[in-house]
Amino acid sequence: MSTDTGTVGESSGGGSASSSIHPGSIFAVAKKDFQDSVRSWLFWGLSALFFLLLVGIAGALSYFGEDIAAQGATTDMLVVLVSQVTKWIVPLIALILGWKSIAGERESGSIKILLSLPHSRKDVVIGKLLGRSAVLSISLTVGFALAAVIVAAFLGGFDFVDYAGLLAMSIIYGIAYTTLAVSLSSLTRSTTIAGAAMFCVFLVFYGLWNGLGTVFRMLGQREFLFFDTVTYTREFQGRQVTVERRQDWTYFITNLDPGQAYNRGLTLLTDVDLLEQGSNFSAQMFGGELPIYLQDWFSFMILLFWIIVPLAIALFRFDRVDI
């Protein structure tokens, strides 16, 4: 019996041994998962969705944005508008894609057949993650590529670098949420519980976390416990005005949200004036220079954090659960 099979047989019983990682097995699991998805309506449905999203926004800009076109800022506005929509759509799609990835197979019992093959538990988790990430990433790429010609026709030309930068950052953002979904799916044997976990993730990041900034500001205005406000001056219509902001550490917490990191990280891969103006505006709050946790490269690291940490937890935990 090979080392792989021995590991599988040991871990699928009590689940106390730590399985090893085999690139060949990971590729086989990911390939099978991706092929199953490509043959379904899901892959082409997602590609069509991203295609329609880009074409729809580009068409609206072309029809209603004559002033924007006159200023030559259509690509900038396209990036800003598309990023605001994908900030909501991509997490929803990623969570739905990863919902049943492992929990569904545990509920149906097919995970035992998969583990009877020479695949370790870690191979299954990483393979499923790569398979689902590939479905989302290639759907985004196909949608963006098919829409490129039509978008260029609507806008009368567009900046390819900014367009590709938006696609790349959207893919990284999608992989972060896919990792969360697959990791949570590996921690439960029920698709119902897994679905509830996905709903909680979306609620936490888009309900609670987005509201933290407002809560921190209100607590600071009331000088509640260790909350307080910081006074700074900035220029407004040629005048110096005094404004209050939250304490520094509260910005660090709110920026840990993947959506915030996605928006800030766009300045790393694109050259959009509107996004840079937003960064400059934020910099004024901190004396002209953004703190390290609000800089674009740090936002990129936050997205990597949401990929690496949930995956590490899933790899550790899935090795030790009873199947």
Side-chain angles (χ1 to χ4, degrees):
M1 182 176 290
S2 69
T3 304
D4 292 337
T5 309
T7 302
V8 168
E10 193 176 357
S11 62
S12 60
S16 59
S18 177
S19 62
S20 51
I21 295 175
H22 310 92
S25 290
I26 292 173
F27 178 75
V29 174
K31 181 180 178 183
K32 177 69 166 56
D33 204 55
F34 178 75
Q35 288 175 336
D36 290 344
S37 300
V38 169
R39 283 193 289 267
S40 71
W41 60 269
L42 187 61
F43 174 80
W44 299 107
L46 289 178
S47 301
L49 174 66
F50 294 128
F51 169 81
L52 292 173
L53 170 66
L54 282 159
V55 171
I57 291 178
L61 277 175
S62 173
Y63 187 78
F64 297 107
E66 293 182 359
D67 294 338
I68 297 173
Q71 298 169 12
T74 47
T75 305
D76 286 13
M77 189 56 72
L78 176 75
V79 170
V80 171
L81 292 177
V82 171
S83 65
Q84 291 305 309
V85 178
T86 51
K87 180 183 174 183
W88 285 85
I89 289 180
V90 167
L92 272 174
I93 293 172
L95 292 174
I96 292 172
L97 272 175
W99 166 37
K100 292 184 178 179
S101 57
I102 296 178
E105 297 216 23
R106 289 181 69 184
E107 190 173 74
S108 67
S110 60
I111 191 74
K112 294 181 179 178
I113 299 174
L114 185 60
L115 289 174
S116 69
L117 301 171
H119 304 310
S120 71
R121 294 192 181 197
K122 286 189 174 72
D123 295 339
V124 172
V125 173
I126 299 174
K128 290 285 185 181
L129 171 60
L130 292 179
R132 304 296 162 119
S133 297
V135 172
L136 181 60
S137 302
I138 297 179
S139 298
L140 268 165
T141 304
V142 170
F144 270 60
L146 292 176
V149 175
I150 300 176
V151 169
F154 274 136
L155 302 184
F158 69 100
D159 190 316
F160 176 78
V161 175
D162 289 343
Y163 192 74
L166 172 65
L167 170 62
M169 188 54 74
S170 299
I171 289 174
I172 296 170
Y173 180 50
I175 291 175
Y177 266 97
T178 305
T179 306
L180 277 170
V182 173
S183 299
L184 285 172
S185 184
S186 72
L187 300 180
T188 175
R189 63 176 66 248
S190 165
T191 55
T192 302
I193 297 176
M198 303 304 152
F199 177 76
C200 289
V201 167
F202 191 81
L203 189 65
V204 165
F205 285 120
Y206 285 89
L208 299 178
W209 213 312
N210 270 340
L212 280 179
T214 303
V215 173
F216 288 154
R217 184 171 60 254
M218 292 174 63
L219 292 174
Q221 290 170 346
R222 288 165 176 75
E223 300 182 358
F224 181 78
L225 293 178
F226 43 82
F227 290 89
D228 201 352
T229 57
V230 177
T231 303
Y232 70 99
T233 58
R234 68 180 176 88
E235 189 173 321
F236 179 72
Q237 295 182 344
R239 294 183 305 157
Q240 294 290 326
V241 294
T242 301
V243 190
E244 290 186 337
R245 65 166 173 84
R246 296 183 271 124
Q247 291 187 19
D248 294 12
W249 63 271
T250 64
Y251 289 94
F252 172 73
I253 292 178
T254 54
N255 201 47
L256 291 177
D257 169 29
Q260 291 284 346
Y262 167 63
N263 279 346
R264 291 189 180 278
L266 278 171
T267 55
L268 190 67
L269 299 180
T270 63
D271 189 25
V272 176
D273 291 340
L274 288 173
L275 296 176
E276 291 182 355
Q277 288 172 11
S279 295
N280 294 334
F281 181 80
S282 297
Q284 291 182 28
M285 297 192 301
F286 298 91
E289 184 175 356
L290 284 172
I292 190 172
Y293 48 84
L294 290 182
Q295 293 182 12
D296 48 8
W297 68 269
F298 194 84
S299 298
F300 184 75
M301 298 305 293
I302 290 173
L303 290 178
L304 291 183
F305 168 86
W306 286 113
I307 294 173
I308 294 171
V309 173
L311 177 60
I313 294 173
L315 292 176
F316 176 81
R317 183 59 188 155
F318 191 61
D319 254 347
R320 291 160 176 78
V321 298
D322 291 328
I323 299 298

